[in-house]
Amino acid sequence: MASMRLEVVFEDHTPHKWRVPLKEDVFGAFMAKGGLVMHKVFGNKSLFGPLLFKKFFDPSDAFPLWEFEPGVLLADLQNPCVDWFQTEACYVLKTELPDIEKSSIRVYVENGKVMEISGLWNHKGESRASPDWQSGKWWERGFVRRLELPENVDWKKTEAHVNNDTILDIRLPKLQQNVTLKEG
């Protein structure tokens, strides 16, 4: 299995990110004129689609994913492209990536409270390094999903990989519980 490690960033100095919210009517008009790649990025089975959780939810707003079981939120979908679960040691998020350039994917943890996964699906006319796409109508150029983190995450040890060029695998280790025994 080929695996590419992604850098997880803990400081982001991009001003005014995600300041333009994606509204349901704008999304509908946007998708009506879209092509295959756009439908893979924003479709209702994608982590980055605003309709993934049964009703419209702007992916640039932080969602408390870990408070829900996948079987509950994704019950209406056949073959969803996302899964999450926890083990004794960590929280795990796995999602299928659309056919995009994997080098554009960014994982950012904001103040230990929110994890942001973003990238470009449309590279027309701008440098890939330009963060400007994040401050306007970001959905025309890229994608994002912001997720609230559980309180017991050791967020500075977050790891992200792209496996087999199609699966994003993010592991969020849990904080070690210090157990002290009292001698009695």
Side-chain angles (χ1 to χ4, degrees):
M1 171 164 64
S3 179
M4 176 179 83
R5 186 179 182 129
L6 299 176
E7 178 183 12
V8 178
V9 178
F10 301 110
E11 282 190 41
D12 188 358
H13 302 289
T14 308
H16 311 296
K17 277 193 323 185
W18 324 123
R19 70 178 177 191
V20 178
L22 178 57
K23 302 288 187 192
E24 192 167 3
D25 59 334
V26 171
F27 178 71
F30 173 69
M31 290 298 281
K33 62 182 179 181
L36 182 61
V37 173
M38 185 189 314
H39 283 274
K40 284 186 175 185
V41 172
F42 296 107
N44 66 353
K45 292 182 179 184
S46 169
L47 175 66
F48 309 104
L51 295 170
L52 176 64
F53 307 121
K54 298 180 189 170
K55 66 178 198 166
F56 189 87
F57 191 89
D58 182 351
S60 68
D61 289 334
F63 185 81
L65 181 73
W66 303 103
E67 293 178 13
F68 299 91
E69 294 292 327
V72 174
L73 280 183
L74 306 177
D76 295 342
L77 296 179
Q78 290 183 350
N79 304 318
C81 299
V82 61
D83 190 21
W84 63 94
F85 55 92
Q86 61 179 303
T87 67
E88 286 187 29
C90 67
Y91 293 90
V92 179
L93 172 67
K94 293 185 178 200
T95 187
E96 187 176 314
L97 293 170
D99 189 20
I100 56 167
E101 190 169 324
K102 306 311 181 242
S103 65
S104 79
I105 299 169
R106 301 288 178 254
V107 178
Y108 165 59
V109 178
E110 177 183 320
N111 300 322
K113 299 192 181 301
V114 174
M115 179 176 58
E116 173 182 296
I117 306 161
S118 64
L120 292 171
W121 68 268
N122 182 355
H123 295 291
K124 292 180 186 171
E126 282 185 40
S127 163
R128 290 182 196 139
S130 173
D132 295 340
W133 68 272
Q134 298 171 332
S135 61
K137 295 179 181 176
W138 53 267
W139 55 90
E140 293 178 354
R141 301 286 325 254
F143 56 89
V144 65
R145 174 60 73 187
R146 299 182 73 236
L147 302 168
E148 292 178 11
L149 294 178
E151 289 183 20
N152 65 334
V153 167
D154 193 354
W155 55 274
K156 289 186 178 182
K157 293 182 180 175
T158 300
E159 291 186 11
H161 293 86
V162 176
N163 298 324
N164 293 331
D165 216 28
T166 60
I167 303 295
L168 177 63
D169 184 332
I170 298 176
R171 304 211 172 226
L172 302 143
K174 292 181 180 179
L175 289 169
Q176 297 279 332
Q177 296 286 338
N178 290 335
V179 179
T180 50
L181 299 174
K182 289 186 177 182
E183 292 184 31

